[in-house]
């Protein structure tokens, strides 16, 4: 059988992975794996390296094997079918389908999570940890970017910490008419012990204290729209890197202990979209492409 026919046959049975294996066999027979003298290890034993790089496949469908749990549509405890399930009806003739439709959200929530700008790390107290001159420039750029998007923002919520408050105040100059709301739940902290663990970072607060507060903030702000909401909304939340990273993991139903594996620039924009069905999409994560390179920091 010719080389071309053999390659075509293998590809037909095993897909793209077979091409790698066949190519490795060809390379091995030509001595590209570096045999010297008379020694030659079995060429098939070297396929272990290639096989280890391939995804797992199910025997029946030859598709990647799913991992983790199925998507929980009631992750925010606001799924209409779950809210009406088992509810005692006052009127026996009441149509359960009509009741469920009335309680269904119809609008999409867009939540733009902004990390505060660069601040004075040498401050001893929160009041002394004010924005640096560069940090103020970053906030200006973020405000300009949000204004340029041309969205109809409903509210601007911010952490009560100084650096987040200052960032929000600067951004608000570019969004006239948008209400500012202060929230203590959004303060920085350690949401949950990260996995894998790190030795260079030890949070000042206890995980179970900060974690409960940050989880409460998540439940307050990250959920599908209320059924009474008629139009799509765009809400801005100015807070902190740890809070944003934890929110993203929780909203996407990723392991929350993986929050420290992500990095966010100062003044960056992370955009979550929550559909009426409960589906969640991450449109951007830590977008800071609107800033000049010399203005980028991650402190």
């Amino acid at each position: 059988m010719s080389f071309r026919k053999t390659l075509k046959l293998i590809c037909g049975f095993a897909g793209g992975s077979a091409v790698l294996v066949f190519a490795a066999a060809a390379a091995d027979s030509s001595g590209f794996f570096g045999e010297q003298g008379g020694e030659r290890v079995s060429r098939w034993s070297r396929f272990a390296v290639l096989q280890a790089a391939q995804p797992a496949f199910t025997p029946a469908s030859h598709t990647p094997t799913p991992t983790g749990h199925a998507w929980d549509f009631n992750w925010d405890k606001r799924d209409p079918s779950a809210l009406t399930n088992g509810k005692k009806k006052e009127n026996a003739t009441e149509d359960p389908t009509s009741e469920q439709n009335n309680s269904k959200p119809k609008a999409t929530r867009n939540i733009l999570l902004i990390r505060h700008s660069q601040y004075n790390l040498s401050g001893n107290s929160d009041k002394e940890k004010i924005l640096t001159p560069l940090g103020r420039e970053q906030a200006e750029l973020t405000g300009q970017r949000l204004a340029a998007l041309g969205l109809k923002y409903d509210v601007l919520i911010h952490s009560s910490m100084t650096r987040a408050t200052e960032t929000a105040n600067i951004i608000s100059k570019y969004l006239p008419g948008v209400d500012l709301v202060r929230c203590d739940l959004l303060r920085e902290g350690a949401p949950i012990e990260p996995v894998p663990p790190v030795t260079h970072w030890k949070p000042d607060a206890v995980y179970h204290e900060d974690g409960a507060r940050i989880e409460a903030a998540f439940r307050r702000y990250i959920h599908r729209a209320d059924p009474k909401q008629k139009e799509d909304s765009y809400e801005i939340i100015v807070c902190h890197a740890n809070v944003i990273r934890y929110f993203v993991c929780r909203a996407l139903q990723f392991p929350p202990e993986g929050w420290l594996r992500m990095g966010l620039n100062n003044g960056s924009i992370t955009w979550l979209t929550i559909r009426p069905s409960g589906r969640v999409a991450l449109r951007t994560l830590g977008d800071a492409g609107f800033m000049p390179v010399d203005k980028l920091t991650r402190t």
Side-chain angles (χ1 to χ4, degrees), residues 66-109:
T67 59
H69 302 286
W71 178 263
D72 177 13
F73 278 95
N74 195 30
W75 60 273
D76 58 351
K77 309 306 179 188
R78 293 171 183 246
D79 184 359
S81 61
L83 290 173
T84 58
N85 186 28
K87 180 180 178 182
K88 185 177 179 180
K89 298 178 178 57
E90 297 179 0
N91 189 347
T93 62
E94 185 179 349
D95 183 2
T97 305
S98 175
E99 180 184 358
Q100 184 172 325
N101 288 336
N102 291 334
S103 63
K104 278 186 175 181
K106 301 173 180 60
T108 295
R109 294 184 68 216

Side-chain angles (χ1 to χ4, degrees), residues 113-184:
L113 302 162
I114 313 298
R115 189 191 175 195
H116 61 78
S117 302
Q118 185 190 65
Y119 67 101
N120 175 28
L121 291 171
S122 61
N124 294 320
S125 64
D126 177 61
K127 289 183 178 180
E128 295 176 352
K129 295 179 180 180
I130 60 175
L131 297 186
T132 64
L134 175 56
R136 300 187 70 82
E137 286 186 63
Q138 292 170 339
E140 298 277 354
L141 291 167
T142 303
Q144 293 169 15
R145 174 61 173 175
L146 291 170
L149 291 175
L151 303 172
K152 184 182 177 182
Y153 300 107
D154 297 87
V155 67
L156 199 169
I157 307 164
H158 63 89
S159 158
S160 57
M161 298 187 81
T162 300
R163 53 189 181 272
T165 300
E166 289 186 332
T167 301
N169 287 334
I170 293 173
I171 289 175
S172 68
K173 296 190 306 181
Y174 297 91
L175 307 175
V178 178
D179 292 336
L180 274 170
V181 178
R182 183 173 181 265
C183 181
D184 286 331

Side-chain angles (χ1 to χ4, degrees), residues 17-33:
S17 297
V19 177
L20 292 175
V21 176
F22 192 77
D28 181 70
S29 63
S30 301
F32 289 121
F33 283 112

Side-chain angles (χ1 to χ4, degrees), residues 231-257:
E231 298 181 355
D232 294 353
S233 59
Y234 295 87
E235 304 157 51
I236 301 170
I237 298 178
V238 179
C239 54
H240 309 269
N242 296 354
V243 176
I244 295 172
R245 294 182 285 190
Y246 179 78
F247 280 10
V248 169
C249 287
R250 286 281 283 110
L252 297 179
Q253 298 186 27
F254 293 163
E257 62 271 17

Side-chain angles (χ1 to χ4, degrees), residues 71-80 82-83 105 109 215 218-226 250-251 253 274-280:
W71 178 263
D72 177 13
F73 278 95
N74 195 30
W75 60 273
D76 58 351
K77 309 306 179 188
R78 293 171 183 246
D79 184 359
L83 290 173
R109 294 184 68 216
E215 173 64 20
F218 173 82
R219 297 186 187 192
R220 174 178 290 188
Y221 297 114
I222 313 298
H223 55 76
R224 76 192 77 187
D226 188 275
R250 286 281 283 110
Q253 298 186 27
I274 307 176
R275 302 294 182 189
S277 64
R279 292 183 181 274
V280 180

Side-chain angles (χ1 to χ4, degrees), residues 28-47:
D28 181 70
S29 63
S30 301
F32 289 121
F33 283 112
E35 292 86 354
Q36 295 182 356
E39 295 183 2
R40 180 180 291 271
V41 181
S42 172
R43 67 189 58 168
W44 299 105
S45 66
R46 294 192 179 86
F47 293 156

